[in-house]
Amino acid sequence: MAKPASQLHRAWWKECSVYQIWPASYKDSNDDGIGDIPGIISKLDYIKKLGIDIVWLCPSYKSPQVDMGYDISDYYSIADEYGTVADVEKLIQGCHERGMKLLMDLVVNHTSDQHEWFKKSRSSKDNEYRNWYVWKPARYDEQGNRQPPNNWVSHFQGSAWEWDEHTGEYYLHLYATEQPDLNWEHPPVRKAVHDIMRFWLDKGADGFRMDVINFVSKDQRFPDAPVKDPRTPWQWGDKYYANGPRLHEYFQDLGKILKEYDAFSVGEMPFVKDTEEVLRAVRYDRNELNMIFNFEHVDIDHGTYDKFEPGSWKLTDLKAFFERWQKFMYDNDGWNALYWENHDQPRSIDRYAQAKEEFRTQAGKMLATVLALQSGTPFVYQGQELGMRNVPREWDISEYKDIDCLNHWHRLLKHKPSDTEAQKSARQEYQKKSRDNGRTPVQWSNAPNGGFTGPDAKPWMSVNPDHVRVNAEAQVNDPNSTYNYWARVLRLRKKYLDIFVYGDYDLVDKDSQEVFAYSRQYEDQKALVLTNWTEGTLEWDSTTNGIKGVKEVLLNSYESTEGVKERFSGQTWSLRPYEAVVLLVQA
Ligand code: GLC
Ligand code: CA
């Protein structure tokens, strides 16, 4: 049963859609081959025309760029290659003039090892910054060999602890060696985080995307993690650091600042499958975060032990994931963030639709429809609106730049130098899952370098050669393009706000491995979102699936909605390859 309207909390951040920008690959304004903030400013009209309300800017602060800016050495200044604080102020102003907001990325689980805090912290055991990071003495095994304090694995391969010769202790780094974890138990660290937030909010930023924010409270016993992968000494310790003991206490403090500024917040939360625990962070009356990013649907193709091992999944798995969170958040006054892609994920047309090139556009439109008309705030990642795809299969490993992927590759070469099969398989998996897939420059035109940078410049990462066909210039004025279809979906969502933002959600034709369909209902208004996930034509029985009659065609991915209603008048409807259709139906 749909919930009475009076019980629903309305909020501006529920109604918005967000566009994510990863600055290095967006638009280069000065032909040095690296995207920059003036480049982003030059594209604000393009973003606005897509129907976006909020722009999320990935880290642009000073950084040695070991992990593309997620290793920050100064939170108060901007990396030279991207511009200046004044450029960010101009960007904020440019967004505001167009009625859009700007989010900054808040990366405070760790800093760069080049941050002043860490330099001081590692200088001596009695430095006042020692406690800002997590330092522990070594353990010794039976042979007397020095071992890290526990067996936790780093997200970027190997032990999560690094030995520091100078002071004779290990420090914790859940990510790269150059990304030491901050110690949130120490009050000055939390104060420093609050100061950073206020600084950017005072500059006019409208909120934050918070990097791995559920890792900031760790179990202070730092216990060994259970052994799941017997092939390695290093195990996932997430049980002891994901949603740790003091997380909500810390979130309450963040929430107070956010509320003061009426700011937007989305927290990145890997590993968490417990709906109740997520709810504690996002329930409306808790005043912690607005929403979080879930990981189950993007981990769907990972191997048992490792992301870069082959994994398989079924459409029903994906549907079950959405159904669970959609229903739970609706019933419990929480809220979802909806995304297929971001800078850590491959392109959705490859991962979810696995579509042949001839179906690229249809698959992209279908995925847009399924995602954005669910209950939640939709996030569009740069290039997704153009139907950009993964890197070409024939690309050499030298084209890959991501530390996650390259660390994996180098370890493989070291440990299995003559295992060509394992190397071949890893290479295939990189082309499917490496973060590089989402990081190639945005394809603005069919010019050399895709118009991302000057024709004679050398882009920091190669542009996908398919830019000659797939690019923004070809799409903005083509009514049938992926770009304009995304704009239609986002407009439709706003036009029928009650249904698509505030309505209830029910999965339809649950067990199908070919169709992803759901209904959204608000009081007596009901819509059906129906999509074909195959490259064949399907016959779909509307009656057995409980559809009582079609009032109006709201959207169709193949054609305009004019004169197509009779297609949906009988009992059985024919769906073309990857077709998406949205209908107003009898409640
Ligand atoms: C998040 C970011 C990712 C980064 C990691 C460490 O998962 O999205 O890009 O590498 O945190 O900061
Ligand atoms: Ca540049």
Side-chain angles (χ1 to χ4, degrees):
M1 253 319 277
K3 209 173 228 182
S6 58
Q7 284 179 25
L8 291 164
H9 283 113
R10 293 185 175 239
W12 62 266
W13 42 266
K14 294 186 176 179
E15 298 171 10
C16 287
S17 51
V18 185
Y19 185 78
Q20 180 190 353
I21 293 185
W22 199 70
S25 289
Y26 202 60
K27 171 72 186 155
D28 178 16
S29 72
N30 61 352
D31 293 356
D32 65 354
I34 306 171
D36 46 53
I37 293 164
I40 299 170
I41 295 173
S42 73
K43 296 295 178 187
L44 287 177
D45 288 328
Y46 166 90
I47 299 168
K48 176 72 185 172
K49 218 183 133 212
L50 191 60
I52 296 297
D53 309 290
I54 301 181
V55 175
W56 151 24
L57 177 66
C58 280
S60 311
Y61 315 95
K62 276 249 169 0
S63 162
Q65 307 291 352
V66 169
D67 184 21
M68 294 307 294
Y70 283 91
D71 48 323
I72 297 170
S73 54
D74 180 0
Y75 292 88
Y76 295 99
S77 53
I78 296 300
D80 291 338
E81 54 276 36
Y82 295 151
T84 61
V85 173
D87 288 328
V88 172
E89 287 171 328
K90 271 187 225 144
L91 175 61
I92 293 173
Q93 196 190 342
C95 287
H96 289 176
E97 280 166 7
R98 289 166 180 83
M100 297 192 291
K101 294 178 184 280
L102 186 87
L103 304 183
M104 300 293 280
D105 214 307
L106 188 71
V107 188
V108 286
N109 174 67
H110 44 265
T111 67
S112 160
D113 65 348
Q114 298 308 306
H115 196 290
E116 280 308 312
W117 303 335
F118 190 71
K119 287 189 185 166
K120 288 179 186 158
S121 185
R122 80 185 324 177
S123 68
S124 76
K125 276 188 179 167
D126 51 20
N127 187 279
E128 84 170 276
Y129 283 85
R130 186 65 172 181
N131 246 335
W132 282 52
Y133 294 84
V134 183
W135 292 97
K136 296 277 170 227
R139 288 197 295 196
Y140 290 88
D141 63 18
E142 279 154 23
Q143 287 78 42
N145 297 318
R146 191 185 68 228
Q147 296 293 341
N150 69 28
N151 67 354
W152 296 359
V153 66
S154 142
H155 288 242
F156 294 158
Q157 316 286 324
S159 168
W161 298 90
E162 180 73 6
W163 176 247
D164 181 57
E165 200 61 61
H166 178 60
T167 53
E169 280 190 325
Y170 281 92
Y171 66 85
L172 177 70
H173 61 91
L174 293 179
Y175 288 87
T177 322
E178 297 87 347
Q179 289 168 298
D181 278 55
L182 282 164
N183 175 21
W184 277 56
E185 297 284 323
H186 188 48
V189 168
R190 304 201 298 274
K191 160 86 168 50
V193 169
H194 302 162
D195 289 348
I196 295 165
M197 289 171 71
R198 288 186 188 280
F199 175 83
W200 290 103
L201 291 168
D202 287 336
K203 288 231 171 292
D206 301 285
F208 301 98
R209 174 268 186 187
M210 301 177 170
D211 192 63
V212 293
I213 198 68
N214 63 325
F215 292 178
V216 297
S217 167
K218 282 126 183 149
D219 185 326
Q220 291 302 298
R221 297 166 302 157
F222 293 92
D224 274 328
V227 177
K228 286 197 187 129
D229 183 352
R231 303 165 309 173
T232 151
W234 313 122
Q235 308 293 331
W236 288 104
D238 52 289
K239 188 171 163 189
Y240 302 111
Y241 64 73
N243 292 61
R246 296 180 69 184
L247 189 70
H248 295 286
E249 176 194 335
Y250 300 158
F251 279 6
Q252 286 290 326
D253 294 343
L254 304 182
K256 283 195 192 93
I257 300 174
L258 294 164
K259 194 161 186 186
E260 209 180 294
Y261 291 83
D262 194 18
F264 184 100
S265 58
V266 54
E268 189 196 24
M269 277 210 190
F271 293 118
V272 187
K273 295 190 171 143
D274 176 2
T275 44
E276 290 294 339
E277 171 51 19
V278 172
L279 190 64
R280 279 192 274 281
V282 305
R283 203 176 66 206
Y284 191 85
D285 63 355
R286 297 265 309 167
N287 291 314
E288 293 188 2
L289 307 180
N290 295 152
M291 63 197 86
I292 64 122
F293 292 128
N294 240 295
F295 277 71
E296 285 172 72
H297 68 307
V298 292
D299 292 347
I300 204 161
D301 55 2
H302 293 187
T304 318
Y305 299 126
D306 183 325
K307 153 176 167 183
F308 293 123
E309 281 164 11
S312 63
W313 58 278
K314 296 202 287 289
L315 183 57
T316 43
D317 303 331
L318 197 62
K319 295 198 287 188
F321 157 80
F322 281 112
E323 185 188 32
R324 188 156 77 91
W325 288 96
Q326 289 281 306
K327 289 238 116 344
F328 181 80
M329 289 301 181
Y330 184 86
D331 291 342
N332 294 288
D333 211 10
W335 195 245
N336 286 299
L338 305 167
Y339 77 100
W340 290 130
E341 296 184 14
N342 62 38
H343 64 294
D344 295 330
Q345 303 301 333
R347 293 295 183 174
S348 53
I349 295 178
D350 292 276
R351 169 177 266 166
Y352 297 107
Q354 295 160 6
K356 294 202 185 96
E357 184 54 23
E358 61 191 293
F359 298 116
R360 172 202 294 251
T361 304
Q362 287 308 332
K365 292 179 180 180
M366 180 279 281
L367 289 167
T369 318
V370 170
L371 187 78
L373 298 177
Q374 297 195 52
S375 165
T377 298
F379 286 71
V380 187
Y381 176 62
Q382 66 184 40
Q384 187 178 359
E385 77 281 12
L386 301 172
M388 279 178 63
R389 301 198 71 153
N390 281 357
V391 304
R393 291 215 170 83
E394 52 288 353
W395 266 15
D396 186 71
I397 192 79
S398 62
E399 299 282 3
Y400 289 73
K401 308 283 178 225
D402 171 33
I403 182 171
D404 180 27
C405 178
L406 294 180
N407 278 0
H408 187 273
W409 179 242
H410 293 134
R411 285 178 75 83
L412 188 64
L413 292 184
K414 193 171 148 205
H415 296 297
K416 298 187 178 172
S418 48
D419 191 342
T420 48
E421 270 313 302
Q423 290 167 19
K424 196 173 143 214
S425 158
R427 289 285 307 276
Q428 280 168 0
E429 296 300 307
Y430 299 159
Q431 196 274 333
K432 291 185 183 146
K433 290 176 245 174
S434 166
R435 308 197 295 182
D436 293 289
N437 288 302
R439 296 181 174 190
T440 59
V442 171
Q443 298 164 197
W444 294 107
S445 73
N446 64 7
N449 290 327
F452 159 69
T453 183
D456 303 319
K458 183 160 174 30
W460 77 278
M461 183 176 190
S462 297
V463 181
N464 192 319
D466 68 9
H467 73 266
V468 294
R469 288 174 290 112
V470 181
N471 60 69
E473 198 176 72
Q475 291 201 21
V476 276
N477 296 318
D478 172 3
N480 296 319
S481 66
T482 321
Y483 173 89
N484 278 309
Y485 185 81
W486 259 108
R488 282 164 68 197
V489 172
L490 296 178
R491 238 182 289 131
L492 183 73
R493 179 176 175 272
K494 285 268 172 72
K495 185 171 171 199
Y496 293 91
L497 206 70
D498 284 345
I499 303 181
F500 294 120
V501 177
Y502 296 110
D504 198 356
Y505 175 99
D506 273 301
L507 208 48
V508 173
D509 200 3
K510 237 183 178 160
D511 300 326
S512 170
Q513 301 291 4
E514 297 175 318
V515 165
F516 193 152
Y518 57 84
S519 64
R520 302 292 315 275
Q521 183 165 354
Y522 183 88
E523 297 179 345
D524 60 353
Q525 306 175 60
K526 185 172 180 179
L528 174 71
V529 176
L530 176 62
T531 62
N532 176 358
W533 280 57
T534 76
E535 59 172 56
T537 300
L538 291 180
E539 300 301 317
W540 194 72
D541 191 319
S542 64
T543 314
T544 54
N545 282 302
I547 307 306
K548 295 187 204 132
V550 172
K551 290 185 182 164
E552 197 183 329
V553 181
L554 297 180
L555 188 67
N556 183 289
S557 60
Y558 270 78
E559 58 213 347
S560 87
T561 52
E562 303 300 315
V564 295
K565 198 178 152 190
E566 65 278 8
R567 274 185 64 201
F568 307 100
S569 54
Q571 171 168 350
T572 308
W573 308 341
S574 182
L575 295 174
R576 289 169 280 198
Y578 296 104
E579 182 166 12
V581 51
V582 183
L583 307 164
L584 264 191
V585 295
Q586 225 65 259

